[in-house]
Amino acid sequence: MNAGILGVGKYVPEKVLTNQDLEEIVDTNDEWIRTRTGIEERRIADDHTDSSDMAYEAAVEALKHANIKAEELDMILVATVTPDHPFPSVSCMLQERLGAKKAAAMDVSAACAGFMYGVITAKQFIESNAYKYVLVVGTEKLSKVTDWNDRNTAVLFGDGAGAVVMGKVSEGRGILSFELGADGTGGKHLYQDEYIIMNGREVFKFAVRQMADSSVHVIEQAGLTKDDVDFLIPHQANIRIMEASRQRLALPEEKMAKTIRKYGNTSSASIPIAMAEELQAGKIKDDDVVVMVGFGGGLTWGAICMRWGR
Ligand code: UT7
């Protein structure tokens, strides 16, 4: 039996920062941001809310959805590049707050592909029978590492968290195939010094190729074809990158998760937030073939092909 997703949750801060608001902060405009990125607004966490706080809210929702108690968790994996502190890890902070006493806990650092790395790590522990239930969270407070004077990056990012509870699912369902990868030679194109620094064009070119290639690879590995895919959840970085993947899979528009308009790029949180939202909207149903694909700083990437359902 495969590892799969038992429950999903998300949290986004209340404060909305619109493109019009950004026009007051940097030399940009709503038209440019909308047409070049697909983003209209993003959420920004307040001074009292850090990555662990958002992770907690998303985790509570995922546990409730999975109908599993925190004490039953064997492991907590938190994907983040914006931890509250270098240590203790966000996962340890979360373990305490949830009261997940028996859970091992560690953070995963793979930037925007972090959630994919987390899910695939969880899968290994579950399918080897070492652990029964693993909580995987993507959480980011990117606003604290955003240079609000740099229009190349300030318009892109947002804060939020998404979480899944994973465990074994019924025969034929769950994770069917995956691909993880890294190319450290591209690290210079997207990194954090004090703030996020990015060569947008280089990352764009890499992302368009990688997102489409990895999606195709996992579909083939699962013994399926593009026609079998019911829903695509791409990392919500730029609508043009997402559209390139969708077109490569020849999927109609309504079969792709699209939360970028409201939340911008929330890095490791983007895929689980999109998953939670589209699931709630009834766009993902039991036995659907779902492809998730992400890329990020590192450079890193990951894709998963799964059959939805417990
Ligand atoms: O999770 C991974 C994170 N990173 C990404 O996913 C980023 C991937 N890259 C991208 O999404 C795109 O490259 C961007 C959205 C960052 C930029 O879009 P682009 O179409 O590649 O624009 P560009 O960098 O080629 O810039 C085009 C023009 C430039 O002006 P000139 O030189 O043609 O006069 C920029 O100065 O747009 C200008 N520009 C802006 N104008 C208004 C760049 N940023 C802005 C802005 N507002 N915010």
Side-chain angles (χ1 to χ4, degrees):
M1 284 196 318
N2 293 331
I5 291 172
L6 307 176
V8 188
K10 76 159 208 293
Y11 174 81
V12 290
E14 263 171 45
K15 188 186 169 195
V16 175
L17 185 72
T18 65
N19 291 350
Q20 286 77 13
D21 295 333
L22 276 166
E23 288 175 2
E24 310 290 316
I25 303 172
V26 278
D27 178 18
T28 189
N29 59 79
D30 173 53
E31 160 76 13
W32 191 96
I33 305 172
R34 256 188 306 109
T35 53
R36 299 290 183 120
T37 72
I39 301 166
E40 291 173 22
E41 54 189 51
R42 69 287 290 143
R43 301 299 178 93
I44 304 292
D46 64 28
D47 291 346
H48 310 290
T49 305
D50 213 331
S51 292
S52 67
D53 302 302
M54 296 188 283
Y56 174 76
E57 300 297 338
V60 166
E61 198 176 284
L63 285 163
K64 194 171 162 214
H65 185 218
N67 197 21
I68 281 162
K69 292 188 189 67
E71 304 84 68
E72 294 179 86
L73 290 173
D74 297 298
M75 186 176 223
I76 299 174
L77 297 170
V78 175
T80 185
V81 288
T82 51
D84 301 35
H85 318 286
F87 66 91
S89 59
V90 174
S91 48
C92 282
M93 296 173 76
L94 190 56
Q95 190 236 26
E96 188 215 355
R97 224 161 135 188
L98 289 171
K101 289 199 180 67
K102 72 169 179 178
M106 70 169 175
D107 286 4
V108 178
S109 177
C112 304
F115 180 75
M116 307 304 281
Y117 269 76
V119 167
I120 294 308
T121 304
K123 167 187 152 73
Q124 311 309 321
F125 284 101
I126 294 163
E127 291 180 9
S128 66
N129 295 317
Y131 291 149
K132 195 167 175 198
Y133 298 124
V134 182
L135 172 71
V136 184
V137 186
T139 186
E140 304 289 1
K141 189 178 181 182
L142 292 166
S143 58
K144 69 182 176 184
V145 294
T146 299
D147 179 354
W148 293 101
N149 297 311
D150 176 12
R151 69 174 183 176
N152 289 307
T153 53
V155 302
L156 300 177
F157 301 109
D159 300 335
V164 294
V165 177
M166 292 179 59
K168 286 221 173 127
V169 292
S170 37
E171 200 67 46
R173 290 179 172 174
I175 297 172
L176 306 174
S177 60
F178 71 92
E179 175 176 288
L180 294 177
D183 176 10
T185 64
K188 56 185 176 288
H189 299 316
L190 177 56
Y191 63 97
Q192 187 200 329
D193 203 350
E194 187 184 356
Y195 297 118
I196 298 167
I197 296 168
M198 184 179 72
N199 179 338
R201 273 182 217 185
E202 284 302 322
V203 178
F204 190 93
K205 278 191 286 184
F206 155 75
V208 165
R209 181 173 35 84
Q210 198 55 56
M211 295 266 278
D213 285 354
S214 295
S215 305
V216 171
H217 293 164
V218 292
I219 294 164
E220 283 171 0
Q221 257 185 65
L224 301 171
T225 70
K226 290 188 275 190
D227 296 342
D228 297 314
V229 177
D230 296 295
F231 204 67
L232 173 68
I233 311 178
H235 170 43
Q236 310 279 307
N238 182 315
I239 192 72
R240 293 183 290 147
I241 299 172
M242 293 158 55
E243 280 297 320
S245 307
R246 183 179 72 77
Q247 279 157 17
R248 178 85 171 269
L249 299 184
L251 282 175
E253 233 182 288
E254 67 275 10
K255 289 194 172 187
M256 179 174 77
K258 219 185 295 175
T259 53
I260 186 164
R261 187 186 68 74
K262 293 191 291 182
Y263 304 136
N265 179 351
T266 56
S267 189
S268 69
S270 100
I271 291 175
I273 288 176
M275 185 191 294
E277 194 137 320
E278 302 292 18
L279 189 66
Q280 205 163 31
K283 296 242 190 106
I284 305 170
K285 295 175 289 302
D286 277 359
D287 290 315
D288 275 359
V289 171
V290 177
V291 172
M292 300 177 239
V293 60
F295 69 94
L299 300 166
T300 53
W301 63 89
I304 291 171
C305 181
M306 66 181 299
R307 195 175 291 281
W308 195 263
R310 291 186 70 153

